[in-house]
Amino acid sequence: MTRDPDFDAVVIGAGLSGLYQAYRLREMGYRVLGVEASDDIGGVWHHNRYPGCRIDSESEVYGYFWNDELMQEWSWSERFAAQPEVLRYIHRAAEIMDIRKDFLFDAKVASAAFDEENDLYTIEFQQPYRAPVTARFVFSALGPLSTPQMPNLPGINTFAGESFHTANWPRDPDGFGPAPLDFTGKRVGVIGVGSTGVQTIQEMAKVAGHLTVFLRDPNWCTPLGNGPMAPERMDYIKANYEEFTAKCDASLAGFPHEFIQKDLFDVPQDERDATLEELYQGPGFSLWLGAYQDVLSDPAANRYVSDFVARKIRERVTDPAVAEALIPKDHGFGMKRVPLETGYYEVYNQDNVDLVDLHTTSITRVTPEGIETPEGLHELDVIIYATGFDAVKGSWNKIDIRGVGGISLRDEWDGGITTYMGMQCPGFPNFFMLVGPQSGATFCNIPRCSALAIDWLSDMMITAKESGVRRIEPEREAAESFTLYAGKLQSKLLLGQTNSWFTGINQNIPGRDKREVLLFVGGNPRFRAYCDDVKEHGYKGYVMS
Ligand code: N01
């Protein structure tokens, strides 16, 4: 006798994507349960409350474009909103969707196992007091950057001062921001200079008695261009949201920046230099995602822009040796995620800031007093680890996910990731991923692109409901063909030939030294076209029964 599931669908994760997916399913008449490991909604914005945390997307394009009520009601206070404001926005969105009541909190999923006889998943939790639940479909909205990664440093647990990972920052119990920690006058050490480290360092330099930055590979950083959001601009945005949606949908990564449809060397030098200058001073990812079309694929064009940004660093950092240490040597401009900054380079001109170049020395260990290098001990009161994440697949790997015949998703992925549009893996019927490996939303303005994926999946679920489908699974051949396509697109860009979290490299995780296809870097329009084609051809590549 077959068993009916407790729920039609379970959504794992109450971040931006999970909340919207749960809402769509509920509105379609599915009996849905949301489960969230933490005690509240917000995903990364709930956890990343480090000083300086803010979005690198223009505020107006970061959010729920589909929600007219919210879009008309909400006025951003800054052009690039800070973390507390983004979290407030998510809370307000959840209120409008009335979605909180559909979620169970402090419910950390330990395993999800497919029951072939009944076409459902049994989901078990880490908390012993939570009974397992069953669901026909599982939507995992775990986030590509949500499993914090600490460095492998000897003695890390011996430090006697305070230490924090940026993605696990203490919270203000009564508000949306960080706990009121006082770093004034303290000796602070920061490890990591990715987007997070850069934002943290800028803020710490303002208050720390002494700040020591432990720098391994520097990144190419460009100005953020933040400032207050003028009320007239906000009015214009509210009246013209379609214009912004269209701009994002037409762009490579869902931001309001488009590449110049010319090759760099086809433009006279005066003109190209003036353009690069304008883009450097422009907001957000103007230079990364808005320069000449060949900068991210042609090594010579890329070298030209890298040299341009290197000159900027030399102009802004007074000590030439420090400037050289801050200029990346292992990759060209835009081959890794470009951190956006506000006065970051000038921090290194301050008397209270020192840089320890880990290319000329190394961290031997953490001691109770601080961080030790062969030259001596850096005494510290606080250590901040801005060392990033077990990116993209980390959060899925932490759950024991079992498909047909008991196969493990983790084991499958160890042999190489194969997905169909980043949404599903062969052998795992009814298990969907939002912003997972190879999804178009991983190399994109996440709320914009994840909404596209959620809307697409929701349409498929409407079709499934109407025709009484109990089981949805991609054909292996279709998935292999998609993954091959994603791999080919990745190899055309210089970033596909560079070690970073984009390509799955992480020096802190054993075995993560080979590049893989974790992102779909072909761009938002291409990804959408692929998904639309699958849908228009009767969900080709899927077996539904
Ligand atoms: O993490 P990262 P992140 N010794 O992996 C260093 C998004 N984000 O949290 O490069 C010394 O980029 C490591 O050094 P190296 C955004 O997509 C968005 O900064 O391995 N250093 C690197 O410098 C971003 O890309 C926003 O040599 C060590 C750093 O730690 C993604 O999150 C804001 C080390 C890790 O950088 C991840 O960014 C912030 C060691 N042992 C982040 N181990 C918004 O815009 C690691 N490092 C919303």
Side-chain angles (χ1 to χ4, degrees), residues 2-83:
T2 56
R3 224 162 32 110
D4 283 331
D6 301 332
F7 294 93
D8 297 325
V10 158
V11 174
I12 311 175
L16 273 159
S17 307
L19 293 174
Y20 179 41
Q21 181 67 78
Y23 170 73
R24 283 293 318 259
L25 290 165
R26 189 192 69 196
E27 296 304 292
M28 283 153 48
Y30 275 86
R31 286 176 305 131
V32 61
L33 174 73
V35 295
E36 163 59 48
S38 180
D39 60 347
D40 209 344
I41 62 170
V44 288
W45 296 105
H46 181 51
H47 295 287
N48 286 257
R49 302 189 188 208
Y50 59 85
C53 183
R54 66 175 63 247
I55 37 178
D56 282 346
S57 314
E58 284 75 356
S59 301
E60 65 272 15
V61 299
Y62 197 88
Y64 288 137
F65 277 25
W66 56 271
N67 190 329
D68 284 339
E69 182 182 348
L70 184 62
M71 293 309 255
Q72 291 310 319
E73 168 191 306
W74 193 267
S75 294
W76 294 102
S77 69
E78 289 183 277
R79 297 190 67 184
F80 295 86
Q83 174 271 329

Side-chain angles (χ1 to χ4, degrees), residues 241-279:
Y241 259 119
E242 289 82 21
E243 180 194 314
F244 291 88
T245 320
K247 229 178 185 174
C248 291
D249 287 354
S251 72
L252 179 85
F255 293 98
H257 305 286
E258 276 177 73
F259 292 105
I260 300 166
Q261 298 301 305
K262 286 178 192 167
D263 286 350
L264 182 136
F265 290 110
D266 287 347
V267 176
Q269 186 171 353
D270 286 1
E271 186 186 326
R272 83 173 90 107
D273 287 351
T275 301
L276 293 183
E277 182 64 39
E278 195 182 314
L279 292 170

Side-chain angles (χ1 to χ4, degrees), residues 308-361:
F308 168 84
V309 183
R311 280 198 298 280
K312 291 287 179 196
I313 299 171
R314 290 189 188 104
E315 279 166 27
R316 292 176 58 184
V317 179
T318 338
D319 181 335
V322 174
E324 282 320 301
L326 288 166
I327 296 172
K329 308 291 186 300
D330 65 327
H331 69 286
F333 177 76
M335 295 186 199
K336 294 188 191 180
R337 160 69 145 83
V338 172
L340 299 181
E341 50 86 25
T342 308
Y344 169 67
Y345 288 109
E346 286 72 14
V347 157
Y348 295 95
N349 301 333
Q350 291 181 206
D351 290 340
N352 67 332
V353 178
D354 273 333
L355 184 147
V356 175
D357 182 356
L358 297 175
H359 283 289
T360 58
T361 185

Side-chain angles (χ1 to χ4, degrees), residues 413-429:
W413 284 5
D414 278 349
I417 297 184
T418 302
T419 78
Y420 199 32
M421 295 170 290
M423 297 191 207
Q424 229 185 332
C425 298
F428 295 82

